[in-house]
Amino acid sequence: MAVCSAYTTQSLNSTCSISTPAKTHLGFHQKQVVFYRRSSKRGGSGSGSGSSSGPCVITCSAGDSQTVVIGLAADSGCGKSTFMRRLTSVFGGAAEPPKGGNPDSNTLISDMTTVICLDDYHSLDRTGRKEKGVTALDPRANDFDLMYEQVKAIKSGVAVDKPIYNHVTGLLDPPELIKPPKILVIEGLHPMFDERVRDLLDFSIYLDISNEVKFAWKIQRDMAERGHSLESIKASIEARKPDFDAYIDPQKKYADAVIEVLPTQLIPDDNEGKVLRVRLIMKEGVKHFSPVYLFDEGSTISWIPCGRKLTCSYPGIKFHYGPDTYFGNEVSILEMDGQFDRLDELIYVESHLSNISTKFYGEVTQQMLKHADFPGSNNGTGLFQTIVGLKIRDLYEQITSSKTAAPLEATKA
């Protein structure tokens, strides 16, 4: 069902005209606009007995309701893909590439969500970046005008022809049609870099992986799986660092929630990155979002849950919760250091958390067990990604409920 708005105006002639959907130079499909004149006749004789009102303009958008837009920012190799799989699982249905489309598409579509990778808005292909001496992190290698116009169009219920950046070939492939979903997730390096795009977001998340953990992860992946040398890994990290510090990292100050991954404090001088300390930083005062808390909202609490109800091998598990400030904003921070031995026992921890937006008792534990093979499922990264996914579901339901209630209230007024 289309969503239509009607307006009357005296300035249009009585000719009926219909603008058929057409692509613009920005790659999206225009809304349909219909003009017509309403008329009414009164009973009686005489040539002056008829009267008519002014023309009426009807504009129709493509969807049942406005798309909710979520932004996820992180550097390459920091867990965006895993987070997306956890998030789409909360809403149901497997996230898959568009059927019959480009096999190298970066887009993932499920029953309710569409995830688009912002690498698709690279304005330079791999060769072009090399020629100009810029990285993909550099704003000069990205088309923020097109990104803004297309995200804005999708949010308004209008389909777009989105470009595709091919990570296999490094080339810019022909575009693909993206129809407005119920939830659009834009993930990549720059979802909060451009103020115009940032203002379109209904909720934003930043995955903040510390340099020590990022280095440990890349060593584990690139040395063990790809045969890279330690020296080449260090060189790769150092080459990206200036642009990361300049353009990617500053976005976290705008995020509504930050998942910060740090080295453990439970093992002195640990440099393996296998045991992690993870902090969920939640901004206060965000519409449709209530921060999670442990035991007592607003208090400062340290909790070691190991004992009869939670199995903990060395070095154990420690939680911390309390209020704080983050880039001048009031926040609540929930922290977990350590890892779970048995995921089925997570229910004990879940029972002491509030505002987690579950539909039933044990839903967090169920989601974690469902994806036990995902990276981070035994520590705070998986736990907090799952909780944020549930919070986004709740935020979506609140937004859609408020939009449904608004027309009903208007009819009563």
Side-chain angles (χ1 to χ4, degrees):
M1 180 184 295
V3 178
C4 300
S5 302
Y7 309 90
T8 58
T9 176
Q10 300 295 332
S11 63
L12 297 170
N13 60 41
S14 59
T15 303
C16 174
S17 65
I18 299 177
S19 65
T20 57
K23 287 196 299 181
T24 72
H25 70 287
L26 292 169
F28 59 86
H29 299 259
Q30 294 173 327
K31 296 179 182 180
Q32 190 177 65
V33 183
V34 181
F35 306 100
Y36 71 95
R37 179 183 292 278
R38 296 185 302 178
S39 63
S40 60
K41 294 183 178 180
R42 299 180 183 179
S45 60
S47 59
S49 61
S51 65
S52 65
S53 65
C56 180
V57 183
I58 298 181
T59 64
C60 299
S61 63
D64 289 333
S65 61
Q66 189 180 58
T67 296
V68 173
V69 183
I70 308 298
L72 173 67
D75 195 8
S76 175
C78 288
K80 295 189 298 293
S81 297
T82 302
F83 183 87
M84 287 299 96
R85 288 191 288 168
R86 292 188 190 277
L87 175 61
T88 54
S89 174
V90 166
F91 287 96
E96 300 175 344
K99 293 180 180 178
N102 188 328
D104 295 322
S105 171
N106 303 305
T107 302
L108 293 173
I109 298 174
S110 67
D111 295 345
M112 291 184 63
T113 64
T114 293
V115 180
I116 62 174
C117 175
L118 296 185
D119 288 357
D120 288 336
Y121 293 100
H122 288 340
S123 55
L124 298 172
D125 61 17
R126 193 175 293 157
T127 301
R129 295 196 300 271
K130 187 174 181 180
E131 290 174 349
K132 291 186 177 293
V134 298
T135 71
L137 290 73
D138 193 312
R140 293 173 294 176
N142 297 273
D143 189 341
F144 288 101
D145 289 337
L146 183 61
M147 184 191 301
Y148 163 67
E149 292 293 347
Q150 292 203 337
V151 174
K152 179 183 178 184
I154 295 171
K155 187 179 178 75
S156 300
V158 181
V160 305
D161 286 318
K162 180 189 62 59
I164 298 174
Y165 176 76
N166 192 314
H167 286 95
V168 178
T169 65
L171 299 174
L172 302 173
D173 285 354
E176 61 185 354
L177 178 67
I178 301 295
K179 298 178 181 179
K182 288 181 167 54
I183 301 166
L184 174 69
V185 182
I186 59 171
E187 63 91 359
L189 297 169
H190 302 98
M192 291 171 269
F193 180 83
D194 187 287
E195 183 179 5
R196 298 168 301 170
V197 178
R198 195 164 65 236
D199 288 344
L200 294 173
L201 301 178
D202 293 291
F203 194 77
S204 55
I205 310 107
Y206 185 92
L207 303 183
D208 188 14
I209 315 301
S210 71
N211 291 330
E212 300 93 332
V213 173
K214 193 184 299 184
F215 183 59
W217 283 0
K218 284 189 73 69
I219 288 176
Q220 292 170 25
R221 184 189 69 179
D222 293 353
M223 288 186 71
E225 300 176 14
R226 303 180 181 179
H228 294 184
S229 68
L230 183 61
E231 291 72 22
S232 67
I233 295 171
K234 288 181 178 179
S236 173
I237 292 174
E238 290 303 316
R240 291 175 63 90
K241 195 172 187 309
D243 280 355
F244 173 78
D245 291 343
Y247 308 121
I248 311 305
D249 195 55
Q251 293 177 75
K252 63 189 179 186
K253 66 184 176 185
Y254 301 115
D256 298 313
V258 176
I259 298 178
E260 185 179 50
V261 184
L262 303 159
T264 182
Q265 292 182 333
L266 301 176
I267 303 174
D269 302 318
D270 177 69
N271 58 8
E272 293 186 3
K274 293 181 179 179
V275 180
L276 301 172
R277 178 167 66 101
V278 186
R279 304 205 308 162
L280 176 56
I281 304 168
M282 300 161 284
K283 191 179 291 183
E284 298 282 354
V286 176
K287 192 174 182 180
H288 305 305
F289 177 78
S290 300
V292 179
Y293 64 91
L294 177 65
F295 291 115
D296 183 48
E297 187 172 15
S299 298
T300 299
I301 294 167
S302 291
W303 180 43
I304 299 176
C306 303
R308 295 180 180 178
K309 296 183 179 180
L310 191 69
T311 304
C312 297
S313 58
Y314 179 82
I317 297 175
K318 184 177 182 180
F319 280 86
H320 180 82
Y321 162 76
D324 209 332
T325 57
Y326 187 76
F327 289 99
N329 297 303
E330 296 295 322
V331 297
S332 291
I333 299 179
L334 178 63
E335 176 184 309
M336 175 185 166
D337 196 350
Q339 57 190 28
F340 300 108
D341 287 350
R342 294 181 51 181
L343 275 182
D344 59 324
E345 294 179 345
L346 174 60
I347 189 73
Y348 174 62
V349 173
E350 179 180 350
S351 66
H352 290 83
L353 296 172
S354 297
N355 275 356
I356 51 178
S357 300
T358 52
K359 296 283 189 183
F360 54 87
Y361 179 76
E363 187 177 12
V364 171
T365 303
Q366 183 192 74
Q367 284 289 327
M368 291 283 283
L369 286 167
K370 182 179 178 181
H371 303 298
D373 58 331
F374 284 12
S377 290
N378 67 338
N379 60 45
T381 58
L383 174 61
F384 294 156
Q385 286 177 5
T386 299
I387 290 174
V388 171
L390 295 172
K391 298 296 292 183
I392 290 173
R393 182 184 65 186
D394 181 60
L395 176 134
Y396 165 77
E397 291 174 351
Q398 289 188 58
I399 291 174
T400 52
S401 294
S402 64
K403 289 176 181 176
T404 302
L408 294 176
E409 291 301 320
T411 60
K412 295 177 182 177

